[in-house]
Amino acid sequence: LDVTLSPNPSLTFRTIGGILDFYLFMGPTPENVVQQYTEAIGRPHMPAYWSLGFQLSRWGYGSLDVLKETVDRMKRYDIPYDVQHFDIDYMERRLDFTYDKVNFAGLPEFMKELKKSGKHNVVILDPFITKDEEPGTYRPYELGQEMGVWVNNSDGVTPAVGQAWPPGDSVFPDYTNPRTVEWWTQLCLEFKDVLDYDGIWIDMNEPSNFMRGQRPGCADNEINNPPYTPRISDRSLAEKTLCPDSKTYLGDHYNTHSLFGWSQTEPTFNVVQQATGKRAFVLSRSTFVGSGKHGGHWLGDNFSQWKDLRRSVVGILEFNLFGIPYIGADICGFNYNTTYELCLRWMQLGSFYPFSRNHNAEGNSEQDPAVFGDAFAKISRATLRIRYSLLPYLYTLFYESHVYGGTVVRSLMHEFTSDQETHGIDTAFLWGPAFMITPVLEEATRSVTVYFPEAQWFDYYTVLPSAWKKNYATVSAPLNKIPLFIRGGYILPQQAPATTTTESRLNPFGLIIALDEQGQASGSLFWDDGDSIDTIEKENYFLAKYTFSKVS
């Protein structure tokens, strides 16, 4: 199947068969459509408060020493930072459920130290398991073999064998099989006793395979080579994955391929809650309709290029439409080496992604916000402190999304639908109805053109009302500043920032009251302990509604 969107507006569905069910969500507003859609597919999960803090990651620390140096310099510059991610280089030879006891000797103790300092840890796990270790030495494979948890070849009996990160050949767990869920749950619970994780990042779960189909190649039949193939990599359904005629518990891989990451997300969410006794953090590369109920997403392996910085705004807006509001892009870019200015502008924009994480690929130069020197660190710190001060507002938006199913980040069109000018704007975005972020998206640029829809707008920094209404204005944006605006008529809860949310949650609260032309404003604050399971369902929270009106 492929679906083509045209500006007419029109949709063209091109398919070789199957049953097409159409659901129409009538709105009438864009925000209503998203609420109705998530009512059908499942509301977004309520994230833990700590997961709204800034996060650091790198594939290629290579050793615990390098990671420790990174953590130390973040501390030296006092840059807000809540979560450390561990990519595949923490593993022994890239084997799931292990850690490298040479290069990462002392990792379990270090993770406990990070937790003591108020931070949280997220470990990566891949969905392929090597079958070629010495017998009796690699339990994840042997237990899986015993329990019969793999995706099978077309015979439905022998496991599909491909190649991925671990040495030798790999087999692929079939998460649509309840036995696989048991196997995965057991291994994740046991691993918690080895590395004290707070969340799990599930990667490569398309599923990714470094071959075209499994060994010895895909049979020439109608499922593997259908009469029409959409314009995908090499026009092959098996490219970098498994043959479509492979068998999963629910049927042919041809029918279940798109469900692989989705079917891994819920069991991972459940086991993280079981293992930690707290709200789950799950980050998945592969998503499908309804994934937002149990996980968040990042926009995949982007590049350190200005066009990818710009595109990320579109990506975070889209995933909010899909009911996956916990979304962000790799800040500063994943592939290629970043540059000082690109990374600085990306730190500024990324400070306002719902999921804010700087991540980098193996072989690239370091790009954490503390590595570029004083000036860069100071600007990153200042921008992240704005994020941290507004976390009570962001957290309240996630509460509203979880309960009513709307967006957290939205386009101007969602709030000003009748204003045609807003329909094409994908370079600025809003947190909820009231906070506009207008990032610099081009190199060597020191101003941005901002469209101000019909409302009273206040400059976040000066708190002065802007003179602009329903027109464009050029706004100054020196290197140390990302332009931010507050919409009149709204009350935003805030809290004094700190270096972690563990500390900031203890600080005094405040309110930003931005009046509309009638001298009125309203807003709300949702607050709970930040990481207990089902506080909303158990009604174990505080919810305040604020209103203000000027007495003339």
Side-chain angles (χ1 to χ4, degrees):
L1 170 94
D2 66 28
V3 184
T4 310
L5 207 55
S6 100
N8 284 342
S10 70
L11 276 170
T12 306
F13 287 80
R14 189 183 281 116
T15 178
I16 57 169
I19 298 164
L20 296 178
D21 290 326
F22 290 90
Y23 293 80
L24 300 179
F25 303 101
M26 304 307 287
T29 69
E31 202 57 27
N32 292 153
V33 171
V34 177
Q35 289 166 339
Q36 291 152 11
Y37 177 59
T38 57
E39 188 180 357
I41 66 166
R43 301 291 199 207
H45 70 288
M46 183 68 193
Y49 197 90
W50 59 262
S51 71
L52 302 183
F54 178 66
Q55 314 191 21
L56 202 52
S57 181
R58 185 184 179 201
W59 172 30
Y61 286 115
S63 75
L64 189 57
D65 291 343
V66 173
L67 175 56
K68 281 179 174 172
E69 282 166 28
T70 311
V71 173
D72 287 347
R73 66 174 171 255
M74 289 289 286
K75 190 175 179 179
R76 212 163 47 242
Y77 283 117
D78 198 28
I79 297 171
Y81 150 52
D82 262 88
V83 186
Q84 181 59 53
H85 288 244
F86 297 86
D87 206 332
I88 56 174
D89 46 334
Y90 82 83
M91 299 176 184
E92 181 198 334
R93 295 178 297 117
R94 298 174 172 178
L95 302 171
D96 269 358
F97 305 109
T98 68
Y99 78 94
D100 181 340
K101 293 183 177 65
V102 178
N103 295 311
F104 283 84
L107 180 59
E109 296 76 13
F110 180 69
M111 286 170 77
K112 283 196 166 20
E113 266 175 56
L114 283 178
K115 288 190 89 147
K116 275 201 192 95
S117 69
K119 292 185 171 54
H120 291 79
N121 298 293
V122 172
V123 295
I124 199 170
L125 288 172
D126 285 325
F128 26 69
I129 301 290
T130 181
K131 65 172 197 55
D132 291 336
E133 290 297 287
E134 284 296 313
T137 64
Y138 189 48
R139 187 156 168 275
Y141 172 68
E142 284 165 13
L143 182 63
Q145 190 67 350
E146 198 182 298
M147 293 176 73
V149 305
W150 316 122
V151 175
N152 286 321
N153 290 314
S154 56
D155 61 11
V157 182
T158 57
V161 174
Q163 216 179 2
W165 291 126
D169 284 342
S170 285
V171 287
F172 298 79
D174 169 19
Y175 294 95
T176 67
N177 184 342
R179 293 283 283 166
T180 309
V181 172
E182 275 175 55
W183 165 84
W184 183 248
T185 303
Q186 194 178 328
L187 290 170
C188 290
L189 286 173
E190 288 170 7
F191 197 45
K192 172 76 171 159
D193 295 330
V194 181
L195 296 180
D196 192 10
Y197 63 78
D198 300 286
I200 295 178
W201 165 20
I202 46 178
D203 194 17
M204 311 289 286
N205 50 355
E206 289 75 28
S208 179
N209 166 28
F210 298 165
M211 306 162 60
R212 178 182 289 194
Q214 60 263 35
R215 303 192 186 284
C218 304
D220 186 9
N221 58 38
E222 207 170 29
I223 285 190
N224 292 334
N225 300 304
Y228 173 77
T229 309
R231 267 197 306 194
I232 52 174
S233 306
D234 281 5
R235 285 270 168 146
S236 161
L237 293 177
E239 181 64 20
K240 299 281 194 295
T241 190
L242 300 174
C243 303
D245 67 357
S246 305
K247 294 284 183 278
T248 67
Y249 182 81
L250 286 184
D252 291 335
H253 184 232
Y254 178 89
N255 290 316
T256 63
H257 174 81
S258 296
L259 300 176
F260 193 98
W262 174 87
S263 65
Q264 186 190 11
T265 302
E266 185 177 359
T268 307
F269 181 89
N270 291 337
V271 76
V272 171
Q273 288 203 157
Q274 213 181 316
T276 63
K278 302 284 186 189
R279 224 171 280 171
F281 174 102
V282 178
L283 186 66
S284 178
R285 189 168 85 176
S286 169
T287 56
F288 195 66
V289 174
S291 281
K293 192 176 175 183
H294 297 108
H297 180 64
W298 83 104
L299 293 168
D301 296 349
N302 61 2
F303 290 79
S304 299
Q305 301 177 145
W306 288 91
K307 66 176 184 181
D308 286 36
L309 167 76
R310 191 184 182 295
R311 277 180 188 157
S312 73
V313 177
V314 176
I316 64 167
L317 290 171
E318 285 180 334
F319 271 81
N320 272 270
L321 301 181
F322 304 154
I324 307 176
Y326 190 78
I327 178 73
D330 288 343
I331 294 170
C332 298
F334 178 72
N335 294 301
Y336 299 170
N337 284 323
T338 195
T339 63
Y340 184 99
E341 189 184 342
L342 172 63
C343 194
L344 185 58
R345 291 305 196 188
W346 215 321
M347 278 299 302
Q348 290 172 335
L349 166 58
S351 293
F352 300 99
Y353 292 154
F355 165 53
S356 179
R357 180 185 71 162
N358 179 315
H359 180 44
N360 192 2
E362 192 176 46
N364 296 337
S365 53
E366 295 175 302
Q367 62 181 38
D368 57 90
V371 81
F372 296 95
D374 290 359
F376 190 109
K378 192 179 170 191
I379 296 164
S380 297
R381 180 174 67 233
T383 315
L384 281 169
R385 283 175 71 86
I386 297 171
R387 176 195 181 84
Y388 274 60
S389 67
L390 287 168
L391 284 184
Y393 175 60
L394 183 63
Y395 194 55
T396 302
L397 293 173
F398 269 103
Y399 157 75
E400 288 170 357
S401 174
H402 176 66
V403 174
Y404 307 112
T407 60
V408 169
V409 160
R410 60 191 70 148
S411 67
L412 292 173
M413 183 192 81
H414 270 231
E415 290 294 315
F416 303 93
T417 316
S418 59
D419 182 349
Q420 284 294 324
E421 201 56 49
T422 63
H423 294 200
I425 293 174
D426 57 8
T427 52
F429 59 96
L430 296 162
W431 273 14
F435 185 57
M436 179 161 66
I437 295 106
T438 60
V440 173
L441 301 170
E442 281 158 24
E443 192 170 5
T445 305
R446 301 293 179 264
S447 65
V448 272
T449 303
V450 178
Y451 181 72
F452 290 91
E454 188 149 16
Q456 181 69 270
W457 293 96
F458 296 86
D459 182 305
Y460 173 82
Y461 299 94
T462 62
V463 207
L464 294 172
S466 81
W468 307 298
K469 215 167 290 174
K470 223 172 173 190
N471 64 20
Y472 287 91
T474 301
V475 174
S476 167
L479 256 190
N480 64 350
K481 181 178 170 190
I482 175 172
L484 304 166
F485 300 91
I486 296 168
R487 181 180 172 189
Y490 290 91
I491 298 175
L492 280 60
Q494 56 174 352
Q495 191 170 28
T499 318
T500 63
T501 55
T502 310
E503 299 158 273
S504 70
R505 284 180 56 86
L506 305 171
N507 286 345
F509 282 96
L511 295 174
I512 299 173
I513 302 173
L515 303 183
D516 62 16
E517 277 143 328
Q518 285 71 49
Q520 296 183 329
S522 62
S524 56
L525 166 68
F526 170 85
W527 199 251
D528 60 7
D529 68 10
D531 65 1
S532 288
I533 297 164
D534 291 339
T535 55
I536 296 162
E537 291 67 16
K538 292 171 183 160
E539 298 191 337
N540 196 5
Y541 61 87
F542 170 79
L543 182 63
K545 305 244 181 210
Y546 304 104
T547 55
F548 180 95
S549 42
K550 225 172 184 175
V551 182
S552 52

